Amino acid sequence: MINDVLFTFLSKLFLILQPLFSHKGFICVDNMYEKHASCIDTYTIFEYLVKEGKYARYLFWKKNLSYDKLKKKKGVIFFNRQGSPRQSSLYFLIKTFFILLKCRYFISSFYGSLPIKYRQFIKNNRYISLVGVGHGPVMLKTLVFNYPFCQDKEWDLYLVSSVNEKRLFIDNGWNEKKLIECSLPRFDCCKNVSHSVKKIFIMFTWRLTFEKRPKPIYSSKYLLNLMRLLNNQTLKDCCKKNKIEIILGVHHAITDICGVNINFPCKLADSNNLIDEINASDLFITDYSSIFWDSAYLNHPVIFYRLDEDDRFLCDTDISDIKNSKRNDNKLYNVFYNEDDVVNKIIYYIEHNFKLEKKYENKMNKFFYTRKDCTQSFLKKLEEKENEC
C-alpha cells in the first residue's frame, strides 16, 4: 500500500513540474531482465545521440553480462531491478524522475523491461512519446500480434523495417500513422569484419515450450537434431579440411528463463555480443530466428533448418509459429527440413567461398528500407512524426 501512495504522490508532483522543463531528451532501454541478453537495439540510438550532442540516457540492468563494458559509460543509468512489479514501478520512477522531466521520446525494444504501472504512466503522459523499435523484424513470428507487446494501443509510435512488415502491422489492426518506416537502427552495427579463419555461425530461436516445461528440451527434437548436426561427420571432415570454424549461439532465454545448461561440441558465442559473431562470420544457420536479418543485411548467405517442425512435445504456440514460418518459405531461400540437405548446402557454400547467389541477394533487398545510416534515418522520421502532430 505504501508503494502505491508514494507512486501516486511522485506522479502528481511530476505532472506539476513537467511543464516547467523543455522536452527534447531521449531515454532508451533494451532488455532489463535477462543477463545473457544482447542489449543493442536502442543502445545504438543512444550512442548516436550522445555523439550528436543530444540529451540522452540509457537504462541498463546491472546483472547483464555487459555491465563491465558500460559501467563507466556517461549517460547510462544502472538498475538493480528487485521486488514485485508494483514495487519496481516506484523504483523506476524514482530512478528516472529528473530525466523524465526533460524526456520527449522514451524508446524501448523490450516491452517487458518496464514495470506495468510505470509504463502506463509514460504512455499516458502528453509530453512523452513511447516508441517501440522491436528486437527484430516481424515476418516469421506473426504470433507476436497476439501479445500485449505488439498491440497498437500499447505504443505511440512503432518502427517497421520493410513494406512487408508494415503490411502485417496494418492487417493486425495498427494505425498506419503510428508506424515509422525505417530499417532497424541496430543494423548500423552490422559491418563486415576481416577474419583469418572462415566461420559458420549457428543459432536457433527458442521455444515457449521450454519456458513452461524446461525438462523436455533434453529429449526434444530441437536439441537432438541440433546435436546431430554439430556431430555430423561429413560436416566435421569438410570443416577440418577447409579450416572452417563452427560457432554456436545459444538463445539467452534458454539460459536465463529455462535455466538449461548443456555441453555443446563446439565453440559457444558470447550471447551479449552476437553482432560481433555475425560481423565476423561467413554463413549463418538458423530455423526462423529474427536475428537472421542481421546476416541478410550484410548479404551473408543464410540456411534455414526447420529442425523440429514435427515434434509432438511442442506447445500449441510453438507449433503455430513453425506453421507460420513454413507459409513464408517462398519469401526466403535455402529452407530445409532434413539434415542431409543442410549439410550439402553448407558444403556448397564452403566450395564457393561463401558467396551468396545473386538471385537470393535480390530477394532479400526488398526487406530493407535502407542499408545505411539507419539510426540517422530513424531519428529524422521521429522528428517528421512530431511535426505531423
Side-chain angles (χ1 to χ4, degrees):
M1 181 65 70
I2 186 65
N3 289 308
D4 289 337
V5 173
L6 286 173
F7 188 90
T8 300
F9 170 77
L10 286 178
S11 299
K12 291 182 178 180
L13 176 61
F14 181 90
L15 295 176
I16 293 172
L17 295 175
Q18 193 178 23
L20 304 178
F21 291 79
S22 62
H23 310 109
K24 297 181 180 180
F26 295 77
I27 298 177
C28 301
V29 60
D30 288 309
N31 190 301
M32 291 275 279
Y33 52 89
E34 293 173 301
K35 67 180 183 179
H36 290 89
S38 182
C39 295
I40 187 174
D41 296 282
T42 71
Y43 183 76
T44 304
I45 301 170
F46 163 73
E47 276 201 317
Y48 179 89
L49 289 166
V50 170
K51 290 178 182 178
E52 292 294 307
K54 305 291 187 181
Y55 182 86
R57 295 294 183 268
Y58 183 69
L59 312 187
F60 189 76
W61 189 40
K62 277 188 174 181
K63 291 187 179 181
N64 188 280
L65 297 184
S66 293
Y67 171 71
D68 287 339
K69 296 181 181 179
L70 298 183
K71 62 183 179 183
K72 295 182 179 180
K73 182 76 173 180
K74 185 178 179 181
V76 179
I77 299 175
F78 297 99
F79 283 69
N80 286 313
R81 186 171 181 177
Q82 297 174 335
S84 67
R86 180 177 296 175
Q87 292 169 326
S88 295
S89 289
L90 176 61
Y91 173 57
F92 268 65
L93 184 56
I94 292 172
K95 290 280 287 187
T96 63
F97 189 90
F98 292 104
I99 62 172
L100 270 178
L101 289 171
K102 304 175 185 179
C103 181
R104 175 67 185 94
Y105 295 108
F106 198 114
I107 308 173
S108 172
S109 63
F110 276 84
Y111 178 91
S113 289
L114 305 180
I116 296 174
K117 197 170 184 179
Y118 176 80
R119 191 182 190 284
Q120 290 174 339
F121 174 71
I122 295 170
K123 178 66 176 66
N124 294 332
N125 191 280
R126 67 189 183 96
Y127 291 103
I128 302 174
S129 290
L130 184 58
V131 185
V133 297
H135 187 52
V138 176
M139 187 180 94
L140 302 182
K141 297 182 178 182
T142 55
L143 284 178
V144 295
F145 294 112
N146 296 335
Y147 296 93
F149 63 82
C150 205
Q151 297 292 323
D152 176 284
K153 65 180 181 179
E154 299 291 340
W155 304 92
D156 294 310
L157 298 168
Y158 205 93
L159 181 150
V160 287
S161 59
S162 69
V163 174
N164 180 74
E165 187 177 13
K166 179 181 178 180
R167 189 179 302 114
L168 282 173
F169 272 72
I170 294 173
D171 289 346
N172 282 275
W174 281 71
N175 184 339
E176 184 176 356
K177 293 181 179 180
K178 283 189 175 185
L179 303 179
I180 302 170
E181 301 169 18
C182 181
S183 294
L184 288 179
R186 79 160 188 243
F187 289 155
D188 284 339
C189 299
C190 297
K191 300 174 182 178
N192 284 307
V193 175
S194 61
H195 44 287
S196 57
V197 178
K198 295 291 185 180
K199 298 179 182 179
I200 298 172
F201 183 40
I202 301 175
M203 185 171 181
F204 296 91
T205 194
W206 77 312
R207 304 292 185 264
L208 288 172
T209 304
F210 305 147
E211 177 182 1
K212 299 173 182 177
R213 297 172 291 151
K215 288 185 178 180
I217 191 173
Y218 294 104
S219 57
S220 67
K221 289 192 175 183
Y222 180 98
L223 181 59
L224 173 64
N225 288 331
L226 173 56
M227 285 296 199
R228 285 185 56 180
L229 177 63
L230 295 173
N231 287 300
N232 184 286
Q233 195 59 50
T234 301
L235 177 59
K236 290 169 68 174
D237 290 344
C238 185
C239 288
K240 183 177 180 180
K241 177 183 176 182
N242 293 278
K243 298 181 180 179
I244 308 294
E245 185 176 22
I246 292 180
I247 299 174
L248 176 68
V250 179
H251 194 282
H252 57 83
I254 290 178
T255 303
D256 294 332
I257 295 179
C258 304
V260 173
N261 187 16
I262 301 169
N263 291 321
F264 291 99
C266 63
K267 180 180 177 181
L268 295 183
D270 179 358
S271 62
N272 293 91
N273 295 288
L274 293 175
I275 193 63
D276 291 342
E277 300 289 358
I278 291 171
N279 289 344
S281 65
D282 301 276
L283 170 65
F284 183 53
I285 301 174
T286 187
D287 45 3
Y288 51 93
S289 172
S290 60
I291 199 175
F292 89 83
W293 295 107
D294 300 74
S295 285
Y297 187 85
L298 292 170
N299 282 327
H300 293 174
V302 179
I303 293 174
F304 299 89
Y305 179 24
R306 306 291 167 70
L307 74 177
D308 63 341
E309 68 146 346
D310 57 348
D311 192 338
R312 62 188 181 89
F313 289 107
L314 293 175
C315 66
D316 292 341
T317 303
D318 285 330
I319 291 173
S320 296
D321 253 347
I322 291 173
K323 287 181 178 179
N324 177 71
S325 298
K326 193 170 186 177
R327 285 192 290 269
N328 284 281
D329 282 355
N330 64 321
K331 297 176 183 177
L332 304 172
Y333 64 91
N334 289 340
V335 182
F336 303 116
Y337 290 83
N338 69 77
E339 182 181 319
D340 289 340
D341 289 339
V342 172
V343 172
N344 289 336
K345 192 63 182 187
I346 294 173
I347 293 174
Y348 168 86
Y349 281 122
I350 291 175
E351 292 175 345
H352 290 79
N353 198 31
F354 298 99
K355 176 67 176 176
L356 177 64
E357 298 92 322
K358 190 66 178 180
K359 61 181 179 179
Y360 296 152
E361 182 179 332
N362 293 336
K363 199 168 191 177
M364 288 292 99
N365 282 338
K366 66 181 67 175
F367 290 104
F368 300 98
Y369 277 118
T370 179
R371 285 180 182 262
K372 66 176 182 177
D373 301 329
C374 301
T375 305
Q376 182 179 354
S377 176
F378 169 72
L379 293 171
K380 180 181 179 181
K381 289 177 182 294
L382 264 185
E383 184 178 346
E384 291 172 354
K385 287 289 183 180
E386 183 176 33
N387 292 335
E388 290 175 6
C389 299

